Each structure stands twice: as structure tokens, then as C-alpha cells.
Amino acid sequence: MRKIKNICLALILLACLFLPTENVRAETLQDYQNLLNKYKNEVAKYQNEINEAERKIEANKDQIESIKKEVQQMNADIDKMSQEIVDYNNTIKEKSLETKQLFEYLQVARGENLYLEYAFDADTLTDLIYRVSVVQQLTEYNDNLVKSLEEMINNNEKRSKDLAKKQEEYGQRQIELTAQITRLTGMQASLNENSVSSSQQVKIYQDLVNSFKALGCQPKDVIGVDCAQNNNVAGWYRPIDKGYVTSEFGYRWGSLHRAIDVSNGNPYNTKIYPVASGRISSIYHDSYGALTLTIEHKTANGKYYSSLYTHLSKYAPGLYVGKQVGVNDYIGYMGDSGYAMGPHLHLEIAPCRIFNPSDSNCGSWNKYTAYVKKIYSNGSFKGPRDLIYFPKLRVNFTGR
């Protein structure tokens, strides 16, 4: 009997392992508020880092300007000393030549023993001492003059070498500062990009919080249960009345195209409709300026999907985040806003809840794109065609 009980218990436990479990994590208005605060803090953090990068860039630029001025002054000093060296050398040559010519003249005029003759031609001892002193002073003067000029030349040459070395060091420092500016500029661009992404998500979650508050939701209310109940999906439809597919879901140009693109011969007058009933979860411009809108859908069995519509030329009037829309409520017009090669609708659908804090797969844009790539790669989801029938590429269709 005990053996039978143990077998039954084991079967029950085994069955529990394979029973589907439901994520019971509640998503309240406070959850959305917390996520909004998170992205606000990110924006503030990025802005502080951007400001610091700008400060460092300006400081480096100031240092470079200061170095340039010092290098210019050093160039002028080197040029001046180089000219002084030339002048001193010329003076030495001139003085040496003058002294040599003077002595040669005196020696030719009065004999080889000019100094001795001059000295011993004195009449008195005092005159002799004087004459010897004159000869000695003349010789010392010329020697000292040449030595002084040579010393100035040596000093200038040393200073020139020191300045040239310092000039080289400053040049290297200028290269390093320029490299730092390049690095900081790149970091600044990256921070700006991240800041824009976070700023967009701030707007999205701010709109969500505002819409739920407008619907009477309180901080502890579970969205969709205590307030803002969703209409269940009654069916999936194409987003336009007629047209054709211009680009498929899948890899192209080295990256995953997460959408089916559709267009027709009268794009700017073509209304765009939700692919299923649901609740508008975001309205925003993407990083390229494309008018974008997302809708959250819930099926009868409780599974969630999100649909994304972008490159719209304009939105339908009266839209707001949190608004319930049906398949016959148009949400905007086809266009080519943002980065688009011609007017079309870029339609994404994914089995998750974009920008929803309770969704670990799609709670942020980066998580969403990574998740779609993952489920496409493992073959569990192939895009909008898993839910909606579209004819083949460039084949016309009529009817939603």
C-alpha cells in the first residue's frame, strides 16, 4: 500500500513539473512609476557624464591653445638665439681678423719683436711697466672678448637644444590631448545616444503612468485587473485595406529586419489600423524621427503580444497612451518619417509586452530587440506571418 502511495506521489510531482505555470507577478501603477524613475535617473546620469565630457574637452582645448602659444614663443626664441649665434660667430671672426690684421701690420711695420721693442723702448722703469701693462691688457682684452662671445654661443646652443627638446615634449603633449578629445568626443556621442534612448523611454513610461492615473488607477492597483482592463483579441487583421509586401521579416544587409513592410500606390492617403484590438502602450518618435506607435494585445487564453507601427506620416486625432482601440479604429496614415526608403508601413509583432516592466523579455527596447532576435533564431517565432496572412512579396492583396 505504501508503495502504491509513493508511486502516486511521484506521478503527481512529475506531472507538476510539466504543468504550465503562469507568471503571477503583479504589474501595478507603482511598477510603472518605479520604471519611470529608473529611466529619469539614467537620463540625469547620462547628462552629468555628458557635461563632464564636455568640460574635459574644453579643458583639453584650452591646454592645446596654451601649448600652441608657448610653442610659437619657443619658435621665436629659437629663431632669435639662432640669429644671435650667427651674429656672435661673425663678431668673433671680425674681432679675430681685426686683431690679427693689427698685429700683422705692426709686425710688418716695426719688426717681429714689436711687443718687446715697444716695451724696452721705454725711457724709465715706470714707462716700462706701463708699456708692459698696455701690451698685456690689449692681449687679455682680445682673449676675453673672444671667450665671452664663445661662452654666449655655447649658452645659446644649449638653450636652443633645451627649447627644441621642450618643443618636442609639447608637441607630444598636444598629440595626447588631441587623442583625448577624440576619445571624449566619441564617448560624448555614445552618451548622447544612450541619453536619447533613455529619454524616449522616459516619455513612454510617463505617458503610461499618466494614462493609468487618468483611468483611475491607484499605485497598488494591478493594471488590467483592478483598473484599465484590456479587451481581448478577437482576431488578427492586416493593417491596411489593400497593398503589397515590400520587405519580409528576417535578416537583410547583415541585421535582423524585425518587421514586414507594406505599401501601395497611394501611400500617403492610406489609413493604418491596429492588427488586433488592444491598448495603446506608447506613442513616440524613434531615434531617426519616425512617428511610431505600439499597441499591447491580450488573447483569450491570457497570452500577450505587442504590435509596432512606424514611419507614419501623421497620427489619427485623439490618440493617447492607454486608449483602447479596435481593429476598425485607424491610428494614423502611412508615410516615410524617420529613416525610410520611400513611404511604407513598418509592422512589427512580437509575443511579449514592449516597455512593460513585468515583462523580463521586452521591458526595455534593448531587451525587446534581443528577444525577437533570439526567438527568430531558435525558430519559435517568424514574425507577423505567424499570425496574419500576407501574399508573397510584391503580390497585391485587398481586404484586411
Side-chain angles (χ1 to χ4, degrees):
M1 185 69 178
R2 178 179 294 177
K3 183 177 180 181
I4 295 173
K5 287 182 178 178
N6 289 339
I7 292 172
C8 291
L9 180 60
L11 289 172
I12 292 171
L13 292 173
L14 185 62
C16 289
L17 292 175
F18 293 97
L19 286 175
T21 58
E22 185 177 352
N23 182 4
V24 296
R25 177 183 172 185
E27 106 202 13
T28 66
L29 176 60
Q30 188 60 52
D31 291 330
Y32 282 94
Q33 185 66 57
N34 292 341
L35 204 54
L36 171 61
N37 294 338
K38 171 192 170 184
Y39 284 112
K40 282 184 176 180
N41 290 335
E42 279 190 7
V43 169
K45 173 177 172 288
Y46 287 137
Q47 190 57 55
N48 288 336
E49 291 176 354
I50 290 169
N51 292 340
E52 180 63 15
E54 288 178 349
R55 185 191 66 77
K56 290 180 179 179
I57 288 172
E58 291 305 315
N60 283 4
K61 287 180 178 178
D62 290 342
Q63 286 189 51
I64 287 175
E65 287 303 314
S66 176
I67 286 174
K68 285 181 178 178
K69 290 179 181 178
E70 291 193 39
V71 169
Q72 288 174 354
Q73 183 59 50
M74 282 189 287
N75 286 335
D77 291 344
I78 289 173
D79 290 341
K80 180 181 178 182
M81 284 186 291
S82 297
Q83 185 59 48
E84 286 179 355
I85 289 171
V86 172
D87 293 341
Y88 292 158
N89 278 321
N90 290 335
T91 301
I92 288 174
K93 289 178 182 179
E94 291 172 2
K95 292 300 179 183
S96 297
L97 182 60
E98 286 176 4
T99 304
K100 181 180 179 182
Q101 289 174 342
L102 175 62
F103 287 159
E104 286 177 349
Y105 170 77
L106 292 174
Q107 286 171 351
V108 169
R110 302 183 62 180
E112 291 293 332
N113 297 316
L114 169 66
Y115 288 152
L116 289 175
E117 290 176 7
Y118 173 70
F120 289 112
D121 196 30
D123 296 331
T124 64
L125 179 61
T126 302
D127 188 28
L128 174 64
I129 294 172
Y130 170 76
R131 291 187 178 215
V132 169
S133 175
V134 168
V135 171
Q136 184 179 3
Q137 288 179 18
L138 177 62
T139 304
E140 287 179 355
Y141 171 77
N142 282 283
D143 289 344
N144 290 336
L145 177 62
V146 170
K147 287 180 181 179
S148 176
L149 290 170
E150 287 176 345
E151 184 177 349
M152 284 190 287
I153 289 173
N154 291 333
N155 288 337
N156 276 5
E157 287 178 345
K158 183 177 181 301
R159 284 181 62 198
S160 293
K161 290 179 180 178
D162 291 342
L163 285 173
K165 183 179 179 181
K166 192 172 183 181
Q167 189 178 28
E168 183 179 350
E169 292 173 355
Y170 274 28
Q172 184 59 38
R173 178 59 178 159
Q174 185 175 347
I175 291 172
E176 292 172 358
L177 289 170
T178 302
Q180 285 184 25
I181 288 176
T182 302
R183 180 182 61 80
L184 288 167
T185 302
M187 184 176 75
Q188 185 183 27
S190 177
L191 288 168
N192 276 318
E193 183 177 344
N194 290 333
S195 177
V196 168
S197 176
S198 296
S199 297
Q200 289 173 343
Q201 297 194 79
V202 165
K203 179 184 181 304
I204 288 168
Y205 289 113
Q206 186 67 68
D207 288 345
L208 283 168
V209 168
N210 292 342
S211 68
F212 291 142
K213 285 182 177 179
L215 292 171
C217 295
Q218 299 301 312
K220 294 183 178 180
D221 285 349
V222 177
I223 307 300
V225 176
D226 300 322
C227 63
Q229 292 84 356
N230 284 331
N231 294 325
N232 288 345
V233 170
W236 297 94
Y237 299 84
R238 288 192 287 257
I240 57 178
D241 288 328
K242 59 182 179 180
Y244 45 82
V245 174
T246 61
S247 185
E248 293 285 2
F249 182 99
Y251 277 92
R252 67 178 189 184
W253 308 324
S255 61
L256 180 63
H257 181 239
R258 298 180 305 275
I260 274 186
D261 292 345
V262 293
S263 189
N264 58 30
N266 190 24
Y268 295 108
N269 293 318
T270 297
K271 289 183 177 180
I272 305 300
Y273 296 89
V275 294
S277 57
R279 176 182 58 81
I280 296 176
S281 53
S282 68
I283 302 173
Y284 64 98
H285 291 65
D286 73 8
S287 56
Y288 294 101
L291 275 65
T292 307
L293 180 147
T294 62
I295 300 175
E296 186 178 287
H297 314 276
K298 183 179 181 182
T299 64
N301 63 2
K303 187 174 183 178
Y304 284 97
Y305 287 85
S306 292
S307 58
L308 180 148
Y309 314 77
T310 194
H311 300 310
L312 303 177
S313 61
K314 61 180 177 180
Y315 296 113
L319 298 185
Y320 56 88
V321 172
K323 182 177 182 178
Q324 297 291 337
V325 290
V327 294
N328 295 317
D329 300 320
Y330 87 98
I331 54 176
Y333 286 88
M334 186 184 295
D336 55 3
S337 60
Y339 184 70
M341 297 182 182
H344 67 280
L345 171 68
H346 173 100
L347 170 67
E348 299 184 27
I349 302 177
C352 63
R353 310 171 75 179
I354 301 177
F355 305 124
N356 193 298
S358 68
D359 193 318
S360 60
N361 293 317
C362 300
S364 70
W365 181 255
N366 290 337
K367 286 183 177 181
Y368 163 67
T369 56
Y371 178 64
V372 173
K373 183 176 181 180
K374 174 184 174 183
I375 59 177
Y376 174 72
S377 297
N378 65 28
S380 61
F381 187 70
K382 297 296 184 181
R385 285 188 181 277
D386 275 8
L387 302 169
I388 305 170
Y389 170 73
F390 288 92
K392 294 180 181 179
L393 194 68
R394 300 291 176 181
V395 175
N396 289 321
F397 62 79
T398 301
R400 298 186 53 223

